[in-house]
């Protein structure tokens, strides 16, 4: 009888060790290395066999692609993020915090596809069938032909899917609950997650059904399990949102069949998720344009322009080391902007606390927000209100120069459509709009912008209390 070989696998990053250790050298986490058995089967290593390999059919790259159209859910924001709908034979991974709305979104998508005549199977490893029906009733999706199953064994799920009518879409909620008899590990371990993912991806490629895998998220915001699962699937989507806000953002991180960095915006309500067709109005709601320290940034998410307010508060500090607090932006980027303002513009923040917030809980990742952040910081420090109904965008270099960014034409058109009167942009911008009612003022470096803000009208100080 062959001896079962064991290995030690880090449950955080998937690194394999020959012996146990308290700390993983790859990711630096403690007490994450667990002993797991290795064997053949689904997801296991190649076993010795006398079977000869079969000849695989080859085809030309120039073949037609019309025989595999996308499956459009009818939910415009979801179809936007996936690149136009689910691709047949593809595997998609959806991650997000617990309770963020992953199951709600997929239940609504399954019901929408079923109403179009698609065969959809929803397999849950976390809820009973009765619980799924209760959620479907609340979402108004109960009277559909979506087929439900509550199962966690990989072999049983594959047998059920094979014997059933060929599905158009299969939803597995979640990948961390699956376990295979071919693996000697507990459900949720790296080996079991990898094994379950490989089995479902193989089913998708073989049958042409689109498979959606739901993934848990760790405390760092990453999908739990080995990162190799993200490399195995065709698309990775993250469902984001803040606990104090009702909006949700579905963000594309990877997509082999469409653009990345695309977002879909939803609003959570008692009856499920509602699409937000104009996210800029959501992020600009209840804006006070007369307050210092507020600048509207014209950003881009994939192919969609987004306008969001950046708020800065610079206040004198009584601490030896001033505080730097950031919500919705990169803290390292804020430190760079503060250093450039001090070195090239003579603006001193050493005796002030700096607080920066992106309104609505939105998160900005592109460097085009540098100019808006710098303007908001100077405005708050000087107590001067920025020009009303103006948007800002531009990248700031370490030399203090303001560099042009891409898609400037789309940013300007979105600002004009929402009623803004002008824009502050880099002088090297090539794409502008011609409109007599929309002013566009350009700056070549940051000192010019600081001087222009300093020449503005200072807000009157609030009355003192006697």
């Amino acid at each position: 009888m062959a001896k079962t070989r064991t290995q030690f696998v880090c449950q955080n990053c998937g690194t394999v060790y020959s012996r146990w250790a308290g700390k993983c050298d790859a990711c630096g986490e403690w007490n994450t290395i667990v002993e797991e058995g290795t064997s053949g089967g689904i997801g296991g290593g190649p076993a010795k066999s006398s079977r000869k390999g079969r000849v695989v059919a080859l085809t030309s790259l120039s073949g037609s692609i019309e025989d595999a159209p996308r499956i459009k859910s009818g939910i415009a924001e979801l179809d936007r993020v996936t690149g136009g709908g689910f691709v047949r034979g593809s595997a998609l991974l959806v991650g997000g915090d617990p309770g963020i709305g992953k199951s709600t979104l997929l239940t609504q998508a399954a019901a929408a596809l079923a109403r179009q005549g698609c065969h959809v199977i929803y397999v849950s490893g976390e809820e009973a069938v009765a619980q799924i029906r209760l959620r479907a009733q609340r979402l108004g999706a109960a009277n559909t032909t979506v087929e439900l199953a509550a199962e966690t064994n990989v072999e049983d799920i594959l047998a059920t899917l094979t014997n059933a009518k060929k599905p158009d879409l299969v939803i597995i909620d979640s990948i961390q609950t699956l376990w295979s008899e071919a693996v000697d590990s507990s459900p949720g371990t790296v080996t079991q997650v990898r094994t379950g993912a490989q089995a479902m991806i193989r089913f998708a490629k073989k049958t042409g059904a689109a498979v959606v895998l739901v993934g848990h998220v760790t405390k760092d915001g990453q999908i739990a399990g080995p990162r190799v699962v993200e490399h195995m699937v065709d698309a990775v989507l993250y469902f984001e949102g803040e606990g104090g806000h009702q909006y949700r953002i579905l963000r594309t991180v990877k997509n082999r069949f469409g653009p990345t960095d695309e977002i879909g915006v939803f609003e959570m309500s008692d009856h499920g998720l509602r699409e937000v067709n104009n996210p800029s109005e959501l992020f600009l709601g209840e804006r006070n344009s007369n307050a210092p320290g507020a600048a509207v940034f014209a950003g881009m998410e994939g192919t969609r322009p987004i306008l969001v307010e950046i708020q800065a508060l610079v206040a004198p500090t009584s601490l030896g080391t001033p505080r730097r607090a950031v919500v919705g932006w990169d803290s390292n980027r804020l430190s760079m902007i503060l250093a450039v303002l001090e070195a090239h513009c003579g603006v001193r923040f050493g005796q002030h606390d700096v607080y920066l917030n992106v309104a609505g809980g939105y998160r900005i990742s592109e460097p085009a927000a540098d100019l808006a952040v710098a303007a908001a910081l100077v405005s708050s420090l000087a107590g001067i209100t920025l020009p009303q109904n103006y948007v800002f965008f531009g990248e700031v270099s370490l030399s203090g120069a303001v560099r042009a960014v891409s898609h400037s034409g789309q940013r300007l058109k979105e600002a004009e459509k929402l009623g803004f009167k002008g824009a502050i942009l880099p002088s090297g911008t090539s794409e502008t709009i011609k409109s007599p009612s929309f002013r566009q003022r350009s700056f070549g470096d940051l000192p010019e912008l600081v001087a222009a803000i300093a020449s503005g009208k200072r807000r009157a100080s609030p009355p003192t209390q006697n």
Side-chain angles (χ1 to χ4, degrees):
M1 184 175 182
K3 181 180 179 180
T4 302
R5 185 167 59 91
T6 60
Q7 60 185 8
F8 298 85
V9 184
C10 175
Q11 303 303 303
N12 183 59
C13 65
T15 304
V16 180
Y17 295 89
S18 60
R19 62 177 63 184
W20 183 86
K23 179 181 179 181
C24 176
D25 295 332
C27 63
E29 293 292 327
W30 287 89
N31 299 323
T32 58
I33 299 176
V34 177
E35 180 181 0
E36 297 183 6
T38 60
S39 59
I42 301 173
K48 294 182 179 180
S49 174
S50 59
R51 183 180 69 87
K52 294 183 178 180
R54 61 185 177 86
V55 178
V56 180
L58 301 177
T59 185
S60 172
L61 182 64
S62 59
S64 173
I65 61 173
E66 297 300 326
D67 56 344
R70 291 179 180 265
I71 307 173
K72 292 190 176 181
S73 65
I75 303 177
E77 294 297 301
L78 177 59
D79 292 336
R80 169 194 289 271
V81 172
T82 56
F86 298 107
V87 176
R88 295 185 183 274
S90 66
L92 187 146
L93 181 63
V94 179
D97 294 330
I100 201 69
K102 302 185 296 297
S103 299
T104 298
L105 174 64
L106 293 177
T107 301
Q108 292 182 227
L113 287 169
R115 294 189 185 101
Q116 301 175 24
C118 295
H119 182 208
V120 183
I121 298 179
Y122 192 112
V123 181
S124 175
E126 301 178 346
E127 298 175 291
V129 172
Q131 293 174 320
I132 303 175
R133 285 176 178 158
L134 285 175
R135 183 172 68 245
Q137 291 176 359
R138 177 175 59 85
L139 301 176
N143 298 324
T144 59
T145 59
V146 177
E147 294 187 297
L148 305 177
E151 183 56 60
T152 58
N153 183 266
V154 174
E155 286 77 17
D156 292 346
I157 293 174
L158 291 177
T160 303
L161 296 177
T162 303
N163 294 330
K165 175 187 173 182
K166 179 182 176 181
D168 296 299
L169 177 68
V170 178
I171 299 173
I172 305 295
D173 188 4
S174 64
I175 188 63
Q176 276 82 10
T177 61
L178 298 188
W179 65 277
S180 171
E181 297 173 352
V183 178
D184 243 355
S185 301
S186 302
T189 59
V190 168
T191 305
Q192 288 284 10
V193 170
R194 183 170 52 235
T195 299
Q198 285 179 337
M200 301 314 304
I201 293 171
R202 188 180 299 117
F203 172 81
K205 305 302 180 185
K206 181 179 179 180
T207 62
V211 174
V212 178
L213 308 175
V214 178
H216 294 167
V217 170
T218 64
K219 60 183 180 180
D220 298 328
Q222 303 295 326
I223 294 179
R227 296 302 297 268
V228 69
V229 175
E230 297 189 32
H231 299 309
M232 292 161 53
V233 297
D234 300 302
V236 179
L237 309 180
Y238 278 90
F239 213 34
E240 305 172 353
E242 298 291 338
H245 301 277
Q246 72 275 17
Y247 83 92
R248 301 289 187 269
I249 293 179
L250 187 63
R251 187 183 303 274
T252 307
V253 177
K254 170 189 175 181
N255 193 352
R256 289 174 179 161
F257 309 111
T260 57
D261 295 330
E262 196 72 75
I263 67 166
V265 183
F266 300 87
E267 183 180 5
M268 180 63 78
S269 65
D270 295 338
H271 302 287
L273 292 165
R274 182 185 65 85
E275 298 178 71
V276 178
N277 297 322
N278 194 344
S280 297
E281 293 183 353
L282 176 66
F283 297 127
L284 292 177
E286 301 179 1
R287 183 172 64 94
N288 184 5
S289 58
N290 295 321
V296 178
F297 166 57
M300 289 292 298
E301 286 288 353
T303 59
R304 163 183 281 175
I306 299 287
L307 267 60
V308 61
E309 184 181 47
I310 294 178
Q311 304 165 347
L313 175 62
V314 180
T317 182
S318 59
L319 304 175
T321 303
R323 291 196 62 186
R324 303 288 186 258
V326 187
V327 177
W329 205 48
D330 185 11
S331 58
N332 294 326
R333 200 81 188 174
L334 173 62
S335 300
M336 188 199 79
I337 296 299
L338 292 174
V340 172
L341 285 171
E342 291 202 6
H344 298 287
C345 305
V347 183
R348 305 301 177 190
F349 295 93
Q351 303 300 320
H352 293 80
D353 291 330
V354 176
Y355 302 89
L356 189 72
N357 176 55
V358 180
Y362 183 70
R363 297 183 183 276
I364 300 175
S365 58
E366 60 173 334
D370 291 350
L371 196 64
V373 170
L377 291 171
V378 175
S379 170
S380 177
L381 179 63
I384 299 175
T385 303
L386 295 173
Q388 295 185 14
N389 295 324
Y390 270 66
V391 298
F392 296 76
F393 62 88
E395 181 181 355
V396 176
S397 66
L398 292 177
S399 64
V402 179
R403 304 177 60 183
V405 296
S406 59
H407 306 293
S408 57
Q410 292 177 265
R411 302 173 197 262
L412 296 173
K413 290 178 182 178
E414 178 73 7
E416 184 185 28
K417 184 179 72 173
L418 292 178
F420 285 83
K421 303 302 181 183
I424 306 297
L425 63 158
S427 58
T429 302
S430 58
E431 299 179 35
T432 57
I433 60 174
K434 296 181 180 180
S435 174
S437 60
F438 191 84
R439 299 185 60 187
Q440 299 163 68
R441 188 173 180 183
S442 59
F443 292 90
D445 54 44
L446 202 54
E448 293 182 22
L449 176 64
V450 172
I453 296 175
S455 63
K457 184 178 180 180
R458 184 184 294 268
R459 187 185 67 168
S461 302
T464 57
Q465 299 289 336
N466 293 327

